């Protein structure tokens, strides 16, 4: 019998028809436009919240308020555009992490993904047993089985609750990476190695809480064949970001998308971000200049990241990413996953989702025929 559908992804009582979550991309790369397009195809569309207020006139003077206003606006726009599943990505390292979480709950997003740090404290507002209705599904993003264990153990003790799903992000992802530089190309830290470890860490918690917690993998997943490969290893969903940048609906400028189309394998580099983590980006003159030790002095009006030592940082990451989003690469650079150089053209979200689905079915049917 031939398969004609991808398996659905179940997160509690939420069913995702196409088990693909579009990864949240900060500073204006995934807003309502991209998120609603993905959600309309049956996947999960995710709005990146870091620096989301960049288009608001008071972003410089009232950073937090501007972010909150912009998040509400983008969620409204996304809801008007689709009935599909919409999530938000909120980085734990943001100084307005809890405020943005509260907005997400108030606006009744379907799910909240939390990365760039371990979400341990201040989770009360998200947990269904605490006051409030229609809580979003809660999905931490981790880079190791150890981090998953820390979160689950802490939540069990503090909240008598465990996350609804978990994203395991490997070292081939774009943006900030939860690895030390020396771990990035070490075979002990591949998704293939970490996925079974993470599934076994979560299993006892699933039994205690009588709840299924799907593991969703991310980082370097490029084709439907890759999705099938990880499903064979026990993943129940994937989170993909890089491929969604080169879509018509992506909220970045054309110039940003073109850096993806034009980059080569040797342009994919690891940088030390002012956030205090390594990050994967596309090499350009701005980054070469920073690498040579040339500082880009700045006055910090935002204090957006808990971990940024802005007095010593060689440049302002929020400002560099904002410039890049707008296509001004003299003062910025693009984050991208390890496989960005394989992308050759900008297509629609519909075309991308259909291609991924066909490739998945092709791989699955080939596998089950033999
Ligand atoms: C341009 C860009 C911006 C990103 N911004 C964020 C972010 O704000 N928060 C986050 O948790 N992950 C962020 N990521 C990581 C993605 O959400 C995703 O998990 C990862 O890139 C998946 O790997 P892939 O890009 O190879 O598919 C970003 C990735 C890219 C390429």
């Amino acid at each position: 019998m031939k398969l004609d559908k991808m398996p659905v992804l179940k997160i509690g009582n939420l069913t995702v028809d196409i088990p693909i979550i579009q990864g949240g991309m900060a500073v204006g790369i995934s807003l309502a436009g991209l998120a609603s397009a993905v959600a309309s195809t049956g996947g999960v569309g995710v709005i990146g919240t870091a620096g989301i207020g960049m288009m608001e006139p008071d972003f410089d003077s009232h950073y937090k308020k501007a972010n909150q206003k912009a998040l509400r606006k983008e969620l409204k726009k996304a809801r008007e555009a689709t009935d599909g599943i919409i999530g938000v990505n909120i980085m734990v390292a943001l100084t307005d992490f809890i405020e943005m979480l509260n907005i997400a709950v108030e606006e009744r997003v379907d799910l909240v993904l939390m990365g760039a740090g371990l979400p341990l404290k201040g989770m009360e507002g998200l947990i269904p047993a605490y006051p409030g209705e229609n809580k979003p599904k809660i999905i931490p993003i981790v880079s190791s089985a150890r981090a998953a264990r820390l979160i689950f153990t802490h939540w069990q003790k503090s909240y008598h609750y465990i996350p609804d799903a978990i994203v395991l992000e490997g070292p081939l992802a774009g943006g900030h990476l939860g690895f030390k530089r020396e771990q990035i190309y070490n075979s002990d830290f591949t998704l293939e190695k970490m996925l079974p470890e993470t599934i076994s860490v979560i299993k006892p918690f699933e039994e205690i809480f009588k709840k299924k917690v799907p593991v969703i993998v991310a980082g370097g997943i490029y084709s439907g064949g890759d999705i099938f490969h990880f499903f064979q290893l026990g993943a129940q969903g994937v989170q993909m970001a890089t491929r969604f940048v080169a879509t018509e609906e992506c909220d970045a400028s054309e110039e940003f998308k073109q850096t993806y189309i034009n980059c080569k394998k040797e342009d994919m580099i690891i940088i030390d971000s002012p956030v205090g983590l390594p990050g994967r980006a596309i090499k350009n003159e701005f980054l070469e200049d920073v690498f040579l030790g040339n500082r880009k002095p700045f006055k910090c009006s935002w204090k957006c990241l808990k971990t940024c030592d802005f007095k010593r940082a060689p440049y302002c990451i929020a400002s560099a990413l904002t410039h890049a989003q707008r296509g001004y690469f003299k003062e910025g650079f693009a984050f991208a996953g390890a496989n960005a150089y394989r992308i050759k053209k900008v297509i629609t979200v519909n075309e991308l989702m259909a291609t991924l689905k066909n490739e998945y079915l092709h791989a699955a049917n080939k596998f089950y025929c033999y």
Side-chain angles (χ1 to χ4, degrees), residues 107-328:
E107 295 290 329
R108 302 190 169 186
V109 296
D110 299 304
L111 40 92
V112 170
L113 295 117
M114 300 175 284
L118 298 182
L120 299 175
K121 291 191 198 139
M123 294 291 109
E124 289 81 358
L126 287 177
I127 311 288
Y130 292 81
E133 288 162 28
N134 289 335
K135 297 285 173 77
K137 301 286 176 266
I138 322 170
I139 313 182
I141 303 172
V142 296
S143 297
S144 66
R146 190 172 157 265
R149 179 181 283 117
L150 270 171
I151 294 172
F152 278 68
T153 310
H154 185 89
W155 283 36
Q156 178 184 28
K157 223 167 91 200
S158 303
Y159 310 114
H160 314 291
Y161 193 80
I162 54 171
D164 300 301
I166 194 134
V167 171
L168 174 67
E169 191 184 72
L172 299 182
H176 291 115
L177 304 173
F179 298 90
K180 298 194 178 110
R181 257 180 183 270
E182 60 275 18
Q183 294 172 333
I184 291 173
Y185 297 108
N186 178 326
S187 57
D188 283 340
F189 298 91
T190 60
L191 273 180
E192 281 84 352
K193 178 97 194 332
M194 298 189 300
L195 175 58
E197 292 167 358
T198 307
I199 292 172
S200 41
V201 158
I202 289 172
K203 209 168 179 8
F205 292 95
E206 288 184 297
E207 281 160 14
I208 295 167
F209 285 86
K210 299 196 179 12
K211 152 175 177 175
K212 294 241 174 284
V213 181
V215 179
I216 295 152
V217 288
I221 293 158
Y222 189 85
S223 67
D226 296 342
I227 301 176
F228 181 69
H229 168 67
F230 285 109
F231 278 25
Q232 290 294 94
L233 300 178
Q236 290 175 46
V238 293
Q239 174 171 285
M240 299 172 63
T242 294
R243 291 223 56 193
F244 285 103
V245 171
T247 60
E248 283 174 17
E249 294 88 343
C250 170
D251 298 281
S253 60
E254 271 318 298
E255 291 86 346
F256 192 97
K257 298 176 193 179
Q258 285 307 315
T259 58
Y260 272 53
I261 306 298
N262 297 333
C263 72
K264 303 189 191 65
K265 193 172 183 181
E266 57 272 24
D267 297 330
M268 311 312 305
I269 55 165
I270 302 295
I271 61 163
D272 292 313
S273 150
V275 173
L277 293 169
R280 182 172 279 102
I282 300 174
K283 184 164 82 179
N284 70 354
E285 274 180 32
F286 176 88
L287 287 176
E288 277 176 324
D289 212 30
V290 170
F291 186 69
L292 290 172
N294 296 325
R295 288 171 59 91
K296 320 264 176 188
F298 65 96
K299 216 175 120 245
C300 177
S301 41
W302 299 325
K303 317 267 184 308
C304 59
L305 290 159
K306 295 174 197 161
T307 45
C308 178
D309 182 358
F310 73 92
K311 286 192 183 130
R312 284 199 213 152
Y315 60 92
C316 168
I317 181 121
S319 151
L321 296 179
T322 305
H323 283 128
Q325 193 269 2
R326 294 174 180 166
Y328 185 56

